[in-house]
Amino acid sequence: MSKLKKTFTTQAKFMLHGGDYNPDQWLDRPDILMDDIELMQLSKTNTFSLGIFAWSTLEPEEGVYHFEWLDEAIDNIYRIGGRVILATPSGARPAWMSQKYPEVLRVNASRVKQLPGGRHNHCFTSEIYREKTQKMNRLLAERYGDHPALLMWHISNEYGGGCHCENCQGAFRNWLKEKYHHDIKLLNDAWWSPFWSHIFNDWSQIESPSPIGENAVHGLNLDWRRFVTDQTISFFENEIVPLKELTPDIPITTNFMADTHDLIPFQGLDYSKFAKHLDVISWDAYPAWHNDWESTADLAVKVGFINDLYRSLKQQPFLLMESTPSAVNWHRVNKAKRPGMHLLSSMQMIAHGSDSILYFQWRKSRGSSEKFHGAVVDHDNSADNRVFQEVTKVGETLQQLSHVVGTNRSADVAILYDWDNHWALEDAQGFGLETKRYPQTLHQHYRPFWEQDIPVDVITKEQDFSPYKLLIVPMLYLVSEQTISRLKTFVAGGGTLVMTYISGIVNEYDLTYMGGWPQDLQGIFGMKPVETDTLYPADRNYVNYQNKLYGLQDYATVIENQSAQTEGLYQEDFYAHTPAVTSHRYKQGKTYYIGARLHDNFHKDFYQTLISELSLAPVFAVQHEEGVSVQVRQSEEKDFIFIMNFTEVEQQITLETTVKDTATEKELAGEITLAKYEVKIVEKEKAH
Ligand code: GAL
């Protein structure tokens, strides 16, 4: 079980606690900078990300550098035993640069050149911007590479978005030439170009997708998104040249994001590709706790899912790079975390594999758009307020968790998420335009395991399937022959595979498979989907599964059974009494096909059968009601168990074995009570 070997992603053998520190906003207030150092100690914080948006302070005029303030900030942090995550400042440009070199400015999809200002809005192809960032990064590495406080590099900030300028069009055309072996016929074939008379006879005719131009050629859309990922990685690779050269032992990360309230994987970049270029995954999490459209536990499921995806990208602990100790400033309603929620939500991150709790930001700004964003230090500059106290509590708890650093999680169940598939599915003009809900569907399949405390890895298509007993692949609309063959090998070797409606429809070029469902899929499933019906919200239909009726919505696949066993039958409509859910044995393994989008009660019962069949079990069994989650970090010697109450009421928990309470070091067994939002962290020696 090598997965339980500790992986230290940085040199720190302690949990990182702290966050984005922007002393550059306070250089005319030395008193505040002194207070910071005292407050850092009081809040039990130890790690600070510096210089993220500091370019205009570091280089106020071209070629004129000011590093003294940064020297001082780093020295002061080190003096109190702290560490620094040093950022490269490419997330925002100084005004002089955009003025002198307008090519650094991004051009949007409507071909409008953006004005200077804002952030995260550069051209990633611009030679000048690449040269300037590399020069700045070299200076930072030369100056701070040997500083004992330097823990890691934070490259840029939240990379995202694409530029459509002429330089980028040129780079895109070159990328396409390489991909299609300099043969434009291959591109025309892949893009189905005769459609709407779009055959290209010269590479120079190709333009990136645009609302004022081409946006209906799906192959183009998909290739553009892939190019944007590759071009961003290429910009990133250029940024890190001097860092790798001068500080080869300092790990490198960049902060990833999640989209929308549902915390779905960020759609701007394929993180499965980006992950390969990073030493450590880090990400910025801003769940809207206490919102008015879902329960606390509903949201906790989504937080669990995205953490399990970002952890699984490298199958090692990750870092929470940004979070808020209270509210943000950009949700529709910016609600403060209720007492206890900060500790609970922070411990959930640790439980799913984070080795840090870092915040945006250390101190609230005095002006501009983030002056009301939650921070550790408020405008009152005091350690006495509730938020500061809750941060301190997290700091104290993290100090007790040093032995958790580097530990991982081990899962028998994997759910597959794929960026290419997500993009292609969203692009598909068909099915229900508003009901595809791919990541939300994955949440549905994740939930029964979360509820039963069974660990899940959320993996991507190139990862190894073989460690898992159960692989769940919902809505894999785009799937290459290569992936199909890997799925087949997985089942042949004894794995259990679950697939659903709207799967196996197009290949990696977004071209449909001809001649019905791919033969290999028919072979392993013993059936073939022949029609996908899309339902209106008011439409009603049911599936009879194991003599119980389950409601369905949005999608129903008509299935032609070949050699599969029927597990569930439709009840209504022209496909009444035909198979809706099937299973099939294939070599050493088994497959299940779920033809309809069924409600949560179905998934609960369906996966319960698989949990029994495959003897899937929680790492640590605890009896509890709904809304309590038990997640475990594991080492070779010990399990670290996080018992979390994501409900608004007290919960009685029954521990079946004796464990040690990490906070009090006392033994715990039998009935315990968790208050609203309480988290208990306990540990258990492994039986050898
Ligand atoms: C992040 C960003 C931070 C800060 C934060 C506010 O997306 O990286 O700089 O703006 O949002 O929530």
Side-chain angles (χ1 to χ4, degrees), residues 307-575:
N307 277 315
D308 285 339
L309 170 64
Y310 290 168
R311 174 181 51 75
S312 302
L313 284 175
K314 287 190 93 68
Q315 299 284 4
Q316 66 181 32
F318 60 92
L319 298 178
L320 175 66
M321 188 57 84
E322 291 180 21
S323 62
T324 178
S326 52
V328 295
N329 65 340
W330 51 269
H331 287 161
R332 187 170 52 82
V333 170
N334 295 297
K335 191 157 176 142
K337 282 182 180 170
R338 297 357 241 170
M341 179 48 85
H342 182 48
L343 180 65
L344 174 67
S345 58
S346 299
M347 289 310 116
Q348 188 190 16
M349 307 298 298
I350 303 288
H352 283 270
S354 177
D355 277 352
S356 70
I357 298 298
L358 299 167
Y359 308 112
F360 177 85
Q361 61 179 336
W362 163 254
R363 176 185 284 280
K364 268 189 189 172
S365 309
R366 200 166 166 212
S368 293
S369 69
E370 287 184 330
K371 60 178 173 295
F372 299 123
H373 192 289
V376 179
V377 183
D378 210 327
H379 297 133
D380 64 2
N381 198 35
S382 150
D384 297 332
N385 62 58
R386 183 182 70 86
V387 170
F388 193 96
Q389 297 295 322
E390 300 230 6
V391 168
T392 309
K393 174 86 182 133
V394 168
E396 283 161 4
T397 309
L398 290 173
Q399 284 177 347
Q400 294 157 356
L401 299 180
S402 300
H403 40 308
V404 179
V405 175
T407 60
N408 207 340
R409 288 159 61 91
S410 164
D412 289 332
V413 181
I415 299 183
L416 191 130
Y417 172 78
D418 180 42
W419 268 270
D420 273 343
N421 178 56
H422 197 163
W423 293 336
L425 197 50
E426 282 307 313
D427 225 10
Q429 281 282 120
F431 312 109
L433 296 187
E434 284 159 12
T435 54
K436 291 186 195 121
R437 299 177 59 77
Y438 170 52
Q440 291 85 351
T441 304
L442 267 57
H443 293 157
Q444 268 197 301
H445 288 259
Y446 175 86
R447 186 172 191 127
F449 300 95
W450 185 87
E451 284 178 345
Q452 297 213 34
D453 308 320
I454 295 170
V456 173
D457 282 353
V458 182
I459 62 169
T460 54
K461 61 179 179 287
E462 285 175 15
Q463 287 179 272
D464 185 5
F465 302 155
S466 67
Y468 304 102
K469 289 184 181 170
L470 173 61
L471 176 60
I472 304 168
V473 184
M475 295 185 87
L476 197 63
Y477 161 79
L478 178 151
V479 57
S480 66
E481 282 178 11
Q482 195 193 0
T483 303
I484 292 175
S485 137
R486 295 189 59 236
L487 293 172
K488 190 172 161 187
T489 309
F490 168 75
V491 182
T496 297
L497 175 69
V498 176
M499 235 187 189
T500 70
Y501 53 94
I502 316 189
S503 289
I505 296 180
V506 298
N507 67 12
E508 66 273 34
Y509 298 103
D510 208 343
L511 292 171
T512 58
Y513 281 103
M514 292 301 291
W517 219 37
Q519 284 300 325
D520 272 347
L521 288 178
Q522 293 190 33
I524 55 178
F525 284 89
M527 45 67 70
K528 70 174 179 191
V530 287
E531 218 179 312
T532 306
D533 191 17
T534 306
L535 308 184
Y536 281 100
D539 290 338
R540 293 282 169 271
N541 201 342
Y542 302 87
V543 169
N544 183 335
Y545 169 76
Q546 295 184 348
N547 296 323
K548 210 169 139 186
L549 288 188
Y550 296 87
L552 64 91
Q553 66 188 87
D554 303 335
Y555 300 110
T557 313
V558 182
I559 289 170
E560 187 182 300
N561 197 354
Q562 294 157 342
S563 50
Q565 179 164 335
T566 299
E567 300 277 348
L569 287 170
Y570 289 114
Q571 298 300 294
E572 307 285 343
D573 226 312
F574 68 92
Y575 36 91

Side-chain angles (χ1 to χ4, degrees), residues 71-232:
D71 298 348
E72 211 175 308
I74 297 179
D75 289 346
N76 284 342
I77 289 168
Y78 190 60
R79 204 165 30 78
I80 56 165
R83 293 286 187 282
V84 162
I85 298 174
L86 193 55
T88 67
S90 68
R93 296 174 314 269
W96 60 257
M97 198 191 297
S98 329
Q99 191 175 41
K100 181 158 178 200
Y101 306 105
E103 73 160 59
V104 302
L105 296 167
R106 201 172 270 186
V107 171
N108 73 13
S110 302
R111 308 306 193 254
V112 178
K113 195 171 186 73
Q114 305 298 282
L115 295 175
R119 61 173 180 175
H120 303 158
N121 53 6
H122 340 282
C123 169
F124 288 137
T125 307
S126 160
E127 281 305 322
I128 301 262
Y129 202 49
R130 287 178 175 227
E131 193 187 303
K132 290 282 175 202
T133 46
Q134 212 184 76
K135 175 148 194 218
M136 170 56 75
N137 298 356
R138 182 170 293 281
L139 292 174
L140 289 169
E142 281 169 356
R143 196 169 182 104
Y144 303 109
D146 290 332
H147 200 294
L150 180 63
L151 200 55
M152 68 191 303
W153 291 108
H154 176 302
I155 310 303
S156 202
N157 192 66
E158 296 189 337
Y159 283 119
C163 171
H164 299 255
C165 74
E166 266 318 305
N167 288 337
C168 288
Q169 302 296 343
F172 181 42
R173 287 171 199 137
N174 288 339
W175 184 94
L176 292 168
K177 280 183 199 160
E178 195 145 310
K179 172 161 182 178
Y180 295 103
H181 309 292
H182 293 264
D183 182 349
I184 204 153
K185 164 106 177 39
L186 292 180
L187 174 140
N188 282 314
D189 292 348
W191 288 4
W192 203 247
S193 298
F195 170 75
W196 290 355
S197 198
H198 284 350
I199 299 172
F200 299 100
N201 60 27
D202 193 89
W203 300 93
S204 62
Q205 295 154 359
I206 299 168
E207 284 275 339
S208 58
S210 167
I212 57 163
E214 188 52 76
N215 50 42
V217 174
H218 287 178
L220 163 63
N221 294 348
L222 200 52
D223 275 343
W224 171 252
R225 283 180 172 279
R226 290 167 172 155
F227 163 77
V228 169
T229 294
D230 286 353
Q231 196 68 350
T232 308

